[in-house]
Amino acid sequence: DAGITQSPRHKVTETGTPVTLRCHQTENHRYMYWYRQDPGHGLRLIHYSYGVKDTDKGEVSDGYSVSRSKTEDFLLTLESATSSQTSVYFCAISGSDTQYFGPGTRLTVL
Amino acid sequence: GENVEQHPSTLSVQEGDSAVIKCTYSDSASNYFPWYKQELGKRPQLIIDIRSNVGEKKDQRIAVTLNKTAKHFSLHITETQPEDSAVYFCAAEDNTDKLIFGTGTRLQVFP
């Protein structure tokens, strides 16, 4: 697997609390992505980054923000978690067009 | 924007038979089409990809075909084995270099 890690791997939180997920890469790839995976919806893009401090919105960005202050780290923040944000979150990296996925974070919002 | 449809949503085959999964896309400018395999509880793993300058690509028991005119591409798995059981996702790269994924096909291979 490409050098991608995600933390935490599992998290249970309560509605209204802030949550930050971290994606870390050792491949020095330019592009990084955050997806959420839900039954019946496949993988949907939340936000992506094409360089340090360069980010843009994806298909399902409402309620999420991101930051990338270093090439190797891409953070996804839920400012005030809601039950609809219960999902599995995958980070991906890419040096060109091929994307490689991290191990995922299972987030449960009660 | 790009839209990708994938069929069937579930597919059951006998071990040794072939399996075919089909995807259609809407943006004629798309030129990169990867396929991912995801086993239960694991990350999606790239298994094969194709670019628009070729019509077919093979890797052992797996092949992908692309018909740009009809805007569809297919994954073919021959001589299926139980370890091929997984969810398979197709994707197409849109004109801003993002991947748009299909909704997945759950393949079950019965011994």
Side-chain angles (χ1 to χ4, degrees):
Chain A
D1 292 325
I4 316 167
T5 56
Q6 292 184 231
S7 58
R9 295 292 315 279
H10 302 271
K11 186 171 183 65
V12 179
T13 191
E14 293 188 351
T15 298
T17 60
V19 176
T20 295
L21 309 183
R22 180 184 184 231
C23 178
H24 179 78
Q25 63 148 328
T26 58
E27 305 296 323
N28 200 35
H29 282 335
R30 177 183 176 187
Y31 300 97
M32 298 185 77
Y33 309 82
W34 277 107
Y35 293 89
R36 60 177 289 173
Q37 185 174 40
D38 305 288
H41 291 278
L43 292 149
R44 293 182 293 174
L45 183 65
I46 305 171
H47 281 280
Y48 64 104
S49 170
Y50 39 95
V52 173
K53 298 187 179 179
D54 286 326
T55 64
D56 207 346
K57 295 178 180 180
E59 176 189 2
V60 290
S61 60
D62 287 349
Y64 302 94
S65 62
V66 291
S67 66
R68 190 169 179 199
S69 59
K70 298 185 291 184
T71 298
E72 57 266 35
D73 289 324
F74 193 31
L75 304 180
L76 177 71
T77 297
L78 292 67
E79 299 291 347
S80 178
T82 67
S83 59
S84 65
Q85 294 176 312
T86 291
S87 187
V88 178
Y89 292 85
F90 285 100
C91 172
I93 65 173
S94 171
S96 56
D97 47 20
T98 303
Q99 292 188 21
Y100 300 96
F101 286 85
T105 294
R106 183 172 296 276
L107 176 67
T108 302
V109 184
L110 301 175
Chain B
E2 177 69 281
N3 182 52
V4 176
E5 294 189 358
Q6 182 171 348
H7 300 280
S9 57
T10 61
L11 180 60
S12 296
V13 300
Q14 203 76 31
E15 182 178 0
D17 288 349
S18 296
V20 180
I21 302 170
K22 298 181 179 181
C23 290
T24 61
Y25 61 99
S26 59
D27 187 352
S28 57
S30 293
N31 57 17
Y32 175 64
F33 308 91
W35 285 89
Y36 288 83
K37 175 184 180 182
Q38 186 177 27
E39 297 176 350
L40 189 63
K42 300 291 182 63
R43 74 186 79 188
Q45 298 262 25
L46 179 73
I47 55 172
I48 196 167
D49 56 14
I50 191 168
R51 289 174 173 79
S52 58
N53 56 344
V54 298
E56 183 176 7
K57 183 177 178 181
K58 289 183 179 180
D59 183 2
Q60 300 183 341
R61 296 185 297 107
I62 292 173
V64 58
T65 58
L66 172 64
N67 183 326
K68 286 200 67 180
T69 302
K71 289 187 284 187
H72 67 71
F73 56 113
S74 300
L75 178 71
H76 304 254
I77 306 174
T78 58
E79 301 173 18
T80 54
Q81 301 168 3
E83 52 264 39
D84 293 329
S85 296
V87 178
Y88 291 81
F89 292 96
C90 65
E93 187 176 62
D94 73 5
N95 59 2
T96 60
D97 300 329
K98 298 191 299 292
L99 290 181
I100 308 301
F101 286 84
T103 51
T105 296
R106 181 173 302 278
L107 173 65
Q108 291 181 299
V109 181
F110 292 98

